[in-house]
Amino acid sequence: MITNVSCAQNFNANFSKYFEAKDTLNQRKTLEKWEKAKPTDPELFTSYFNYYFLKSREEVMTLSTQEPQSDALVIKDSLDNTAGYISSEINYKNKIFQKGIDKIEKGIQLYPNRLDMRFGEIYVLGQVKDWNNFTKKIIQAIRYSVVNKNEWTWTNNEKKEDGENFFLGGLQDYQLQLYNTEDDKLLTNMADIATEVLKLYPNHVESLSNLSITYMLKNDFEKAIEVLLRAEKINPKDYIVLSNVAHAYKQKGDKLKAIEYYEKTVKYGDKNAIEDAKKQIEKLKK
């Protein structure tokens, strides 16, 4: 047994060395030897996943007349006018990428408590902007969190302390990722994730806030306020919630209620929140 563990550790160390060196040939050789020796080693699946993901990634130079969101080289004409932009774009080769997904899926089936596998898969789905599967995998993890009671493990099967907060904190990062796309079509994805969390963790204030944001972005301030007031009951001193309630009332046109909640924000907020709330109160009282 000690020999098997040592063997797996050597494979892992060798793969990590070649991975850092971007030596894909020796990565592949190590993975093949590793698979023959320890075909169900959990670190084998994560290593295969990393191998295929990076192998699928390719950087392409693009020429455009429209300014891209990423850094770009500006091309000028003879009159010093902007003629175009050269930038790099990251694409992924679907067949190779899918091989990585297949490997990590098998790993999750064998080791369903390995949260690094689940979060790793969700991360790459976000990288390729496959938001439907991104959302689907998050919801699967949420549902499983009740089954395993948040007894999550990570790399080398190390147990994650305070698994529930760690798990829910990770979900917040993914919700922020969806929000930062500024794509209104993905508000449904955000709402679906928040709703699923709240089915199982009804007192999760962050998910109540997330759900309220999806309503506000649709100008449904009544529903937003309803959800935020639930969050306030759970944590009456959460100044982000209080500030959002104030904003929703302001947008709805209820000045008195907006001032009331901006005043609560002043009472419990940090420096920036207090300054902003005071400015809002001043405007509303004019």
Side-chain angles (χ1 to χ4, degrees):
M1 187 66 180
I2 294 173
T3 304
N4 285 340
V5 171
S6 175
C7 179
Q9 287 173 342
N10 287 337
F11 284 129
N12 202 358
N14 286 337
F15 178 80
S16 297
K17 179 178 68 176
Y18 296 131
F19 191 79
E20 287 293 322
K22 298 181 180 178
D23 183 347
T24 55
L25 179 62
N26 278 310
Q27 286 174 38
R28 182 74 198 189
K29 287 180 179 178
T30 302
L31 289 167
E32 288 172 351
K33 290 177 184 176
W34 193 351
E35 190 167 17
K36 286 180 182 177
K38 293 280 290 178
T40 59
D41 183 359
E43 310 317 316
L44 172 66
F45 295 104
T46 58
S47 297
Y48 256 124
F49 175 66
N50 289 329
Y51 167 76
Y52 281 123
F53 176 60
L54 286 185
K55 195 171 175 62
S56 73
R57 192 176 185 269
E58 59 179 359
E59 188 172 6
V60 180
M61 303 306 292
T62 61
L63 176 62
S64 173
T65 55
Q66 293 185 336
E67 185 175 1
Q69 293 182 343
S70 58
D71 292 337
L73 176 67
V74 181
I75 304 170
K76 300 282 188 177
D77 61 19
S78 58
L79 299 175
D80 202 36
N81 295 315
T82 299
Y85 303 88
I86 296 176
S87 62
S88 64
E89 185 177 285
I90 303 299
N91 293 325
Y92 296 90
K93 299 173 185 175
N94 288 336
K95 287 185 178 179
I96 299 173
F97 179 83
Q98 188 58 47
K99 287 182 179 180
I101 293 294
D102 291 343
K103 285 291 184 182
I104 207 67
E105 281 284 334
K106 187 175 180 182
I108 292 168
Q109 287 173 10
L110 291 171
Y111 304 98
N113 293 338
R114 279 288 295 261
L115 190 56
D116 61 321
M117 293 185 184
R118 292 178 183 271
F119 275 5
E121 182 179 23
I122 292 164
Y123 169 80
V124 301
L125 289 169
Q127 292 298 297
V128 301
K129 297 179 172 56
D130 183 353
W131 301 118
N132 286 336
N133 279 316
F134 175 89
T135 303
K136 177 183 173 184
K137 295 301 175 183
I138 289 173
I139 289 174
Q140 284 180 2
I142 294 166
R143 290 173 180 169
Y144 186 74
S145 72
V146 177
V147 176
N148 79 339
K149 298 179 181 178
N150 286 298
E151 294 291 328
W152 298 111
T153 56
W154 204 254
T155 307
N156 297 318
N157 290 327
E158 291 179 1
K159 183 181 177 182
K160 271 292 174 189
E161 298 300 325
D162 196 12
E164 181 176 320
N165 284 328
F166 181 81
F167 174 64
L168 293 174
L171 297 190
Q172 278 302 102
D173 293 338
Y174 298 132
Q175 286 283 54
L176 184 61
Q177 195 175 348
L178 284 168
Y179 177 77
N180 286 338
T181 64
E182 298 182 355
D183 184 348
D184 287 349
K185 289 181 288 186
L186 297 180
L187 292 175
T188 300
N189 299 58
M190 286 185 65
D192 287 347
I193 293 168
T195 300
E196 198 64 37
V197 172
L198 291 167
K199 283 180 188 175
L200 305 173
Y201 306 93
N203 293 332
H204 191 238
V205 170
E206 291 83 354
S207 288
L208 288 166
S209 289
N210 293 338
L211 188 57
S212 76
I213 287 168
T214 67
Y215 287 132
M216 279 198 270
L217 290 173
K218 294 176 182 176
N219 294 322
D220 191 344
F221 300 109
E222 283 286 353
K223 283 189 178 178
I225 291 166
E226 181 185 330
V227 171
L228 286 165
L229 292 180
R230 282 170 57 194
E232 185 193 10
K233 283 183 180 178
I234 297 164
N235 186 356
K237 296 181 181 180
D238 189 319
Y239 66 87
I240 295 173
V241 169
L242 297 172
S243 178
N244 285 339
V245 175
H247 176 74
Y249 274 125
K250 185 182 79 170
Q251 294 301 313
K252 189 184 167 190
D254 190 335
K255 287 187 177 183
L256 290 177
K257 277 291 186 181
I259 290 169
E260 177 188 338
Y261 275 88
Y262 278 126
E263 286 174 345
K264 288 184 179 183
T265 305
V266 170
K267 185 175 181 181
Y268 298 114
D270 63 9
K271 183 180 177 181
N272 291 334
I274 291 169
E275 286 179 5
D276 181 63
K278 284 181 176 178
K279 287 178 185 176
Q280 294 295 336
I281 291 168
E282 190 176 327
K283 287 179 184 178
L284 288 164
K285 284 184 175 180
K286 283 182 179 179

